[in-house]
Every structure is written in C-alpha cells, then in structure tokens.
Amino acid sequence: MSGSHFLPVDTGEDLLPRAEAVLRGRVAIVDIGSNSVRLVVFDGLTRSAQTVHNEKTICSIGRELGTTGLLYKEGVDLALETLRRYRHLCDRLEVEMREAVATAAARDALNGPEFVRRAESAWGGPVRVLTGPEEARLAGEGVLAASPDAEGLVADLGGGSLDMVTVRGGRTVDVCSLPFGPLRLADLSRGDLDRTRKLVDNELEHWEPLASQGGKTLYLVGGIWRSIARVDMLREQYPLHMLQHYAIPFDRAMELAQVLSKQGKKSLELLSVVSKRRVELLPYGAVVLQRLLSFARFKDLVISANGVREGLVFAKLGPGERTKDPLIDFAAGENARVARTPAHAMEMFGWEAPLFADENAYYRRLRQAACLFSDLGWRRHPDHRTRGTYEDVLTMPYGGADHRARAFIAVATWHRYAGDEEMPPELRLKGLLDKAEERRALRIGLAARLAFDLSASAAGELGHYRLRLTPSKLVLEVHRRRSAVADDAVGRRLWSLGAAFDRNAEIQVIGG
C-alpha cells in the first residue's frame, strides 16, 4: 500500500456470496388454503428475497368439507373477491412473475375443480392444485430456506390437512399428507375433542417414519402452531417477541399442548396473544400437536415463519443461490444497500481478525454478520442510533440464525455504537447469551467502534494501521505519517477495547 509498510488487509471477500443471474423483478405467490387466502409479494427471485407486501383473508372455504364434501359457499364467494383484489394489487405493484396454488380444500372437495376454474378467472392466471406430497415438500423447502441445517420433521398444519416431510442434509426425504387440520377436525368431530384424538391417532399410527424422529427437531409450519407458540411466549415471559426459530423444549411443549387441548372457548378468548379467528380452532391444533409428541419424543419444537409460499420461491432458485448462507447473504445485501462504504465492512472483518484468533467457525460467521451490519445506523439521529440499530439487527427478516445468534449479533451492534456502556435492563435478552458470549460480543462491537474512528468508513484506510494482541497488551501500530489520526478519541476507544481483553492498551508510532 502506498505510504505504508503494512501488508494489505485480508478482507475475506471469498466469504461473501457470489451473484447469480436471477429474476430481480417482483414475484407474487398466492396460497389458497382451507382457512385463508394469502398473497405475498417478494422483491425478486433471490436467496434473501424480501417481502414487499403480505396480506391474508380468512375465507374458510373448507369449513364444511368434512361433512358435506363441498366447499363452504360464503367462503368461496369471499375467496373469489379476494383473488380479484390480489390481481389488482399485483398489477399496481408491477409484479413480473405470478404463481397461485391451492391446497387441501380445493383438491378434496367435490366442487373443487369448479372452484379452481372460477379462481383462475378471478386471479387472471393458472391456479395449481398441489397434491398432499407436493404441499409437504414445499413446506420443507420453506423451512430449509431459513434453516439450511434443519434435521428432523417438518409438520405443516393447514385448515384441512397435516402435511409432513422429514429433512436432513439440506433435502426433503420421507413425505406424508393426512386429511385433517383444525377446520376439518372441528367439522368431523362436531366439537368432541376425544373423538378428535381418535381421528388423529388413526392416521398417525400408519406412518412409520414418525417413530424414528425421536431426539430430533419438530419444525412447525402454520398459523395454529404460531398461535400456540405465542401462548408459550406469554407464559414464559420470553424476552424476544419473534416467532421465527422460537424453540420449545419437548416436556414444556407436551404440557402446553395438553393444557390448550382442554381449554374452553371462553377461557381461550382471554388470551390476547391469539386472534379471535384462531381461538375456536386452537384446541384442535393442540390435540394434533399433543398426539404428534406422543408418537415421537422430539428433542424440541421450532417454529418456522416460512412455509409453502417461501418454499415455492426457494425451489425455483438455481444451485448457486440455494447454497448461499442466508444470514451472510442478507447481511451483505443490507450492507451494499445502506452502508456509506460497503467495502469497509469486509476490510474491517479482516483487519480485526488478529484479536479473534481463538474463534471457531460459528463465532467467525457471526462476527462477519456483525461487520456487515456495522454501518446500518449512520443515517439515524444520534439520540436514536444505538437503540434503533440494535433493534433492527435483532429483528430483521434474515434466516440462518436462531435467537441466540440474533442476540449475539445485535449485542455486538449495540457496543459498536454505545461503546462499553451497559445495555438498559428493558433491552437485555435475559437467558439467551451466557457471560462469555456477552464478553465476545462486546469485544466485536468495540473493535468495530475503533475501526470506524480510525477510518471514518473510508475504503482502504484500515490497512495503514495494525492491531496486535500480546499476553499483556493490546497494541495499535500507527505509521508516523498518520500519527495525527491517533488522537485522544482513538486512544479512549483503544483503551476500552484493551480492557475488554483484560489488557493494557498502547499506541506505537512506527516508521521514519
């Protein structure tokens, strides 16, 4: 580098996702389910596609299917009206790719084909009726999109069916579709939960792969499952109000399912975290969950906000996009979109590496994400920068991170802006990180804070400075021609970083 004896910083550019030719125009997915009709518009056909618009209408077209064999007339009328609205919205949003699918109610009803024809007219395009196995595999693809290392059973509980698929090694394997969901169970059992249990058991006992899932994870997809998770969050006073990747241990899940399956409608209505439209179906979902847990002792349950809609997008991606790390791909995209100097993030990642020689692959990946998120708050008002950026990083819709990983990255971001200032009690995520992880996140944040002071986020600037960690000191080497940069503010940042490593700090001016 000109004017410096230091070697160029290893930026780690090889760790960033490579671009692939994909559709950058908007993509719309319509999902016509037994209970709801939903539209999701994504910003493109990419690994980290973002939601531009998301809405649903509860139509309950499968309300009477179990006893009449026909779709619910009022629900059909509302669904067709909803599809006409979605068609108009997609026109206005200039959507380039559109796909509509229908699930259990449309495929099982005697008048399903007639409904599909009318739905295609209202939507203005084809409506593909998914088979049960197709629906299960797409739900599995949706889970893998957010959790590439998922291993266990994906259970997608819709209004009219339970679709299951095992996942391992990034692939969907054994598949099963059973003709019951809360809406259909309520109809078939006529409100008798004991009868509901028998109906569920009669179907589950015939699927052999279920018994082999003991010790693995049960990934839950569907609105009823999310409602059950909200109840658990309330009972546990959980600090992070995010359903994606919310985990419940087996024993607690079993107890919760048993409690909810016995609750009457009036007592359930007292649960403010459950929507009124879900309340009447919640006991049926709880029965299905309790019976699943009885057939296999899963290690834990994990809620997936992804499902068939996200699976449809993920399944269309080429191998280059599918194999990208969802966390790093999202963070790199946000960095490119928002940061003052996008190249600075990976320069900083390489520059601070000597401080973290002991890190394993898990923490190296989280540190990389923290570096890529490190300049997202620069446009915020200084009074709101620290807290606002922390909350953004904690809750943004990226995959590839459980709640512990999210908390780690967010805490590192807090210290990047706040320095060694302690987090207010109301923001602390009690129980998600241990003391060692909090310490590591503090070090990452303080290293970023120092880097920004030295470089002002200018590309190529960090290569003129070098960090060294000795058994007793943290040393910052500064060439004499840049000694003016190492002012009192830099000295304070370095001192704080040294203290986080239990070392004294020293600035060494070198060169003639």
Side-chain angles (χ1 to χ4, degrees), residues 108-130:
D108 294 341
L110 295 174
N111 57 344
E114 176 192 353
F115 167 72
V116 170
R117 286 193 294 271
R118 296 175 68 190
E120 290 179 332
S121 177
W123 167 239
V127 173
R128 177 160 63 108
V129 180
L130 299 176

Side-chain angles (χ1 to χ4, degrees), residues 329-345:
D329 186 55
F330 180 95
E334 287 298 293
N335 176 63
R337 185 178 66 85
V338 177
R340 287 167 289 183
T341 311
H344 181 265

Side-chain angles (χ1 to χ4, degrees), residues 415-437:
H415 291 297
R416 175 264 182 272
Y417 287 104
D420 54 11
E421 176 185 329
E422 286 195 15
M423 192 176 296
E426 68 273 15
L427 294 183
R428 292 182 64 84
L429 301 168
K430 185 178 179 181
L432 287 183
L433 300 180
D434 61 29
K435 292 294 184 183
E437 288 173 316

